[in-house]
Amino acid sequence: MTHTARRIGRSLALVLPVVLVLSGTLAVTMVPWADTSSSQILTASAEDVSVPAKPRAAHEVLRDKLLGELQQGEEPSEVLTHLQQEVDRRPSLADHCVGIARALGRAAVDAYGPTKAQSFARPVCDTSYASGVASMG
């Protein structure tokens, strides 16, 4: 009798984890409260789990950093100085200087209004900052 009990115990020890894993996977496949109208069903899959994020371009990082400085209360004239310093330090950013300066001009209008924002204008990237201010004013 003990031999039969051991045999059943061993069989359960092998089969039970497989059943639990399968039932758990099926439970994740579809849940009743999920919106299936878009015909997307969540499945337990390892596909595309470790796809690295696309690195951001240096000019995008700089633009976001400088816009953040403006949002934190730094005066536009100082932010424009930082832009000029970065372009001087990394000449590859010169192609993007105009777009960054315009974005700073538009953000300055949002923060200070068109008249006050224009008072911060400096000859960084020609007149791009002023152009950004004018487009919002």
Side-chain angles (χ1 to χ4, degrees):
M1 179 90 163
T2 58
H3 182 62
T4 306
R6 264 193 208 150
R7 197 179 199 182
I8 292 172
R10 284 184 185 161
S11 295
L12 281 175
L14 292 173
V15 173
L16 192 58
V18 173
V19 170
L20 290 174
V21 168
L22 287 176
S23 65
T25 302
L26 293 175
V28 172
T29 301
M30 190 168 163
V31 289
W33 60 85
D35 179 20
T36 58
S37 62
S38 64
S39 72
Q40 291 183 336
I41 298 176
L42 178 64
T43 58
S45 172
E47 291 180 29
D48 297 330
V49 170
S50 62
V51 174
K54 184 178 178 183
R56 295 179 60 211
H59 70 278
E60 293 172 340
V61 173
L62 176 60
R63 181 195 62 225
D64 292 349
K65 176 182 173 266
L66 295 175
L67 288 171
E69 289 179 11
L70 267 178
Q71 291 172 349
Q72 292 175 359
E74 189 115 11
E75 285 197 350
S77 57
E78 291 189 33
V79 177
L80 287 168
T81 298
H82 296 160
L83 172 60
Q84 187 64 57
Q85 290 169 343
E86 286 298 315
V87 170
D88 291 343
R89 193 172 67 82
R90 297 173 63 191
S92 63
L93 293 171
D95 292 341
H96 304 284
C97 188
V98 169
I100 294 171
R102 280 189 186 136
L104 292 173
R106 289 189 293 266
V109 169
D110 289 342
Y112 297 97
T115 305
K116 176 99 174 159
Q118 187 62 40
S119 71
F120 294 110
R122 301 193 41 226
V124 176
C125 309
D126 296 324
T127 58
S128 302
Y129 173 84
S131 170
V133 170
S135 73
M136 296 295 290

